[in-house]
Amino acid sequence: MAERYELRFSGAGGQGLITAGIILAEAASIIEGRSAVQSQSYGPEARGGASKSEVIISDQPIDYPKATIVDACLAMTQEAADKYANGIKEGGLLLLDADFVQRAPQGNFKVYRLPIMRMAKEDIGREIVANVVALGAMIGLTGVVTKEAGEQAVLRKVPEAFKELNKKAYNMGYEKGKELIN
Amino acid sequence: MAKKVALLQGNQACAAGAVYAGCKFFGGYPITPSTEVAEELSISLPKVGGKFIQMEDEIGAMASVIGASLTGMKSLTATSGPGVSLKQELIGYACIAEVPCVIINVMRGGPSTGMPTGPGQSDVMQAMWGTHGDHAAIALVPSSVQEIFSETVRAFNLAEKYRMPVQVLFDEIVGHMRERIVFPEPGELEVIDREAPTDGPDTYKPYDSTKGQIPPLASFGSGYKFHVTGLNKADDGFPTTKASLVDAEERRQVDKVMDNVADIESNEEYLTEDAEVVIWAFGSTARSARYAVNELRKEGIKAGLFRPITLWPFPTKRTAELAVQCKAIVVAEMNLGQMIHEVERAAKGNCVVAGEFRVDGEPINPAQIMKKVKEVL
């Protein structure tokens, strides 16, 4: 693991991407015992609008809490891709929702696509778990935390009745993410 | 046993710190980006026998905090710049009536409603001079989630010890970001409780300076009856215009802070021993500055960081020493230049003082601090 690894999750407000960031930060800092900082920026809207959540993970204490140059970025909507899929490192990676982002931002980084919303809706059966599918995919793609730490952090966060659903969503995202780089 | 850890927002850590310090009353009026402080305390205060009241407005909230404190409860309010503006009359009242209380200001920009969801550091002069008249101020500026917890505890300690309002200011970035916090065990951090009067109810005087610079404050409801007013007053609390009494009272409430700067002051320094340029920054900006210091050192530039944790009273002595030692001080703050005037005052022309400012709702990033450092060297 590099000294400092920066991730950005972006999408529409209400899609749960801030929660996805929090879960990742918990996986790194509480479960794996490393340093993590999660931050966000959002507009005044409770739903809609573009929102982003950033997570910095390091084996050292973290000073600057925001992204400097992003290692891995997720964009769930076109607006989010236009607004937040920038500042990505050369050789870094960008994951896009295959249905909702038509125009990919240009840059010297790898672009991957997964129909995240569709997977949540059709394969898992609940659109609401799209953020967990996305989180799984990002962990599968980057290996920034272990598969187990990610799953544990997801399960800590959800009520008993939804544990199976979220576990399924996370694992599907993880496997699909992993397939993209294999 | 392993200590309890959690991934917490700065605002949540503030609420947890308040409970640790023994806070038993919160009166507030929710405002972004401070709302989570109120939200958390609405859950946690009733569990420890405390009271949470959402008041009708910011002014009422401050009044409730002063009233609750006078009954002996450690009291808190949390707001943002627009709310602090509205509270000013009563902050002055708490200063002159010498009522301990803690005011949290999670800073956004401004003036007026500004940009509610963006960060700012533009209320730092307001923390000192927002209310009219001569008075002392104590303001603390933590820069991490863990430090928000411990500085909130310290704010209560200082409020109770010096019998005055204490402000804790942090920006939206630190207020909303999440980091791991290790919860201190009970007894691990010092918790100071209000000194009880030695006089009984018949002879007690609330402003009796023969009891020392900080006369003990009795609690309403414990058998003591006394007068509290915003007017200049005699030692019994009743108004006076007698010149010698007014002069003594005005001076005492400033001196009680300025004579004890060493007790109140708190700073952190990073690589300042051999620094040719010192970045002077607080709150989230100090985190950018520390990153910049490390990068500049890699390039062979002897940079260091001075980070005030107590912003008021201003760290005049140490800032002056650094000005003599180094070639330049770069003040980085998310406003158009406020603390830089105090740094210039302390530096007395002994080094270059330059500012790096930002007010667009984005944090000051390490690259812009590095650029400014290279410009001034």
Side-chain angles (χ1 to χ4, degrees), chain A residues 79-99:
Chain A
E79 190 190 350
D82 295 342
K83 201 168 168 188
Y84 296 129
N86 50 42
I88 301 169
K89 196 186 231 173
E90 214 178 292
L93 64 91
L94 170 64
L95 175 64
L96 302 172
D97 186 290
D99 297 331

Side-chain angles (χ1 to χ4, degrees), chain B residues 137-161:
Chain B
I138 299 177
L140 313 178
V141 284
S143 76
S144 70
V145 171
Q146 188 81 46
E147 199 171 74
I148 286 175
F149 184 102
S150 57
E151 287 304 300
T152 301
V153 175
R154 197 164 73 95
F156 277 99
N157 289 347
L158 293 169
E160 297 296 333
K161 187 171 178 183

